[in-house]
Amino acid sequence: MTMHPVSPNTVLANALHHAEDVLTPRILAGPPNGASPARAKPRAWGRIVLVVGTQINGAPHLGTSLVQSLAFAMAARLRARFGLPAEVLFSALDNAPYDLATDPATGHRYQRAYAQALGDQALTDLVAALYEPLFTALSRRLGIPFRVETYTQQQAGEHFRRTWLQVLPRIDAARWWLAPSTGTPHIRVPCPHLGCGWAEKHAERTRVYLVGPDAARVTAVCLHHGPYETTIRPTTGAYLDLATLYRNLVKELALSSPRGTLHVMVKGGDWVFGSHLVDEALQAVGLTRAQLPARLFCPQIVTDTGAKLSKSLMREGHTPLPDGATAWMLDTRQWPGSLPQYAEQLLTLTETLLSDPRHFFRSYSAAEIGRMMTAPAPRSVPAP
């Protein structure tokens, strides 16, 4: 039995020789700022940054590790092919819910995120313990540098906040793309009372008022302390927690500024459908098609029903561990070996997935990924 899977042909795979070909048009086009496109060597771009984000809500599972390792492997392939410096930016999403509660008087749901529940130092320690060791191993193995940025750091940055303030006057044009069911993109500003940090999960009573080009006032109601308000400015103000699609709109809009850097959004395959909404929202607020971010959707690990392998659903008892899956797939700390061995097996797996577009642009059952992660594999076997 070989490691290489038998993968069917698809429309996209049939159009490519290599998986990275899907990014070639964006790289060759150069920045959308009037610069003349390079035909043979894309000198308009100064570097490529592959951006991969993960919710920091416990130990990583195999799907998370796979996307991260593919980001490093793809960076190495793009660097070798186009001669451009490449790096990986890991976005640690510390605004994932840590606690949930319901207001008995109104029925409104509230949440307290990891950032508010744990604090800066504990979050730094969490990322350092659960994620950075694998990044360091992948970085050393491939020679690809990386950096880590928490959402706390991102939302506090002046460029991110200015971008959000600039979007506010045009948010009506994008709101149905960002929230197709309600038309209200969620924004959460945690209660400022010392030690609180709760915010309405669905922002039913949260209101945002633009009070100038550089300031917005937010009013909300706390689960424990009642009404409160705060002002958000480019360099000061409360924690700005945006719902997933809204956050991606602002983040990708901020990264679209032509500064000689091409940012490639690296996501799991489950993001294909959501990214369509984000792209429509970006165009609604003024971006052209040429300015939309480059994206790379990685293979998705699924159960025998075809659903995404979900750590949270299994942890909550809603679904059992699928046939062929083992405990280390849900908590990679349980891998039966050392971290360097785990990193090496991941890179062997990514090399297989990247060896043919048919292997990359598809999903895999947990059992098949487990087989490929643990089976000895010749690296030169051609795809079927």
Side-chain angles (χ1 to χ4, degrees):
M1 181 182 294
T2 67
M3 178 178 178
H4 282 76
V6 177
S7 300
N9 201 5
T10 63
V11 172
L12 178 58
N14 197 47
L16 308 175
H17 291 157
H18 307 283
E20 62 268 24
D21 291 346
V22 75
L23 297 172
T24 299
R26 295 302 306 273
I27 296 174
L28 293 181
N33 61 352
S36 58
R39 298 186 182 278
K41 293 186 177 180
R43 297 303 180 190
W45 295 114
R47 62 176 182 151
I48 300 174
V49 176
L50 289 95
V51 184
V52 57
T54 300
Q55 282 197 337
I56 306 302
N57 57 355
H61 61 84
L62 179 57
T64 298
S65 294
L66 179 60
V67 173
Q68 292 165 351
S69 62
L70 281 167
F72 278 91
M74 182 58 75
R77 292 170 79 95
L78 293 175
R79 179 185 61 186
R81 177 166 177 175
F82 295 103
L84 293 170
E87 67 179 74
V88 171
L89 170 60
F90 174 58
S91 182
L93 302 176
D94 54 19
N95 62 334
Y98 183 87
D99 293 315
L100 294 171
T102 301
D103 183 350
T106 64
H108 292 172
R109 297 281 283 166
Y110 279 80
Q111 75 173 49
R112 190 165 59 137
Y114 271 74
Q116 284 70 51
L118 300 185
D120 291 343
Q121 188 57 55
L123 281 169
T124 299
D125 294 343
L126 182 68
V127 173
L130 298 181
Y131 295 92
E132 288 193 33
L134 177 60
F135 292 160
T136 300
L138 295 171
S139 177
R140 289 173 177 171
R141 174 70 167 71
L142 297 174
I144 296 294
F146 75 94
R147 55 193 175 94
V148 177
E149 180 183 60
T150 65
Y151 179 72
T152 293
Q153 294 168 330
Q154 184 183 67
Q155 62 82 34
E158 180 178 355
H159 184 54
F160 185 91
R161 292 191 167 219
R162 283 194 184 280
T163 302
W164 176 70
L165 288 167
Q166 291 165 2
V167 163
L168 279 183
R170 293 176 283 177
I171 199 64
D172 275 352
R175 65 191 185 96
W176 285 104
W177 292 111
L178 298 176
S181 297
T182 64
T184 304
H186 300 158
I187 172 175
R188 293 178 285 265
V189 176
C191 175
H193 280 74
L194 185 64
C196 184
W198 286 90
E200 274 191 318
K201 183 172 179 60
H202 300 297
E204 292 94 341
R205 293 177 291 183
T206 301
R207 300 291 181 268
V208 182
Y209 308 93
L210 194 63
V211 294
D214 293 325
R217 185 173 71 253
V218 180
T219 63
V221 180
C222 176
L223 174 65
H224 302 293
H225 301 101
Y228 62 94
E229 71 172 51
T230 185
T231 300
I232 297 177
R233 302 181 186 277
T235 57
T236 61
Y239 187 95
L240 182 61
D241 183 5
L242 305 177
T244 303
L245 297 180
Y246 198 177
R247 179 186 70 241
N248 276 261
L249 169 78
V250 177
K251 177 187 76 173
E252 295 175 4
L253 190 60
L255 295 178
S256 69
S257 302
R259 301 176 180 178
T261 298
L262 174 65
H263 291 89
V264 178
M265 306 297 126
V266 182
K267 297 180 177 294
D270 56 314
W271 256 99
V272 170
F273 310 107
S275 291
H276 168 71
L277 294 174
V278 176
D279 283 347
E280 294 290 349
L282 286 166
Q283 292 179 88
V285 300
L287 288 194
T288 65
R289 289 289 303 175
Q291 293 172 311
L292 295 179
R295 303 189 193 280
L296 182 70
F297 298 105
C298 296
Q300 188 175 355
I301 303 177
V302 300
T303 67
D304 50 4
T305 69
K308 182 178 76 168
L309 184 69
S310 172
K311 176 178 62 177
S312 58
L313 286 181
M314 294 177 194
R315 185 175 55 211
E316 295 165 5
H318 296 300
T319 184
L321 192 68
D323 291 340
T326 54
W328 67 264
M329 293 182 180
L330 300 182
D331 183 346
T332 58
R333 294 173 299 180
Q334 298 183 39
W335 166 262
S338 67
L339 177 67
Q341 291 171 337
Y342 180 60
E344 188 62 32
Q345 286 298 104
L346 276 173
L347 290 176
T348 300
L349 174 60
T350 60
E351 185 173 322
T352 297
L353 300 184
L354 288 167
S355 67
D356 190 294
R358 297 185 186 191
H359 300 336
F360 190 83
F361 297 103
R362 53 161 290 187
S363 298
Y364 289 86
S365 69
E368 178 70 354
I369 285 289
R371 181 189 71 80
M372 291 194 292
M373 274 288 287
T374 57
R379 297 193 173 195
S380 59
V381 176

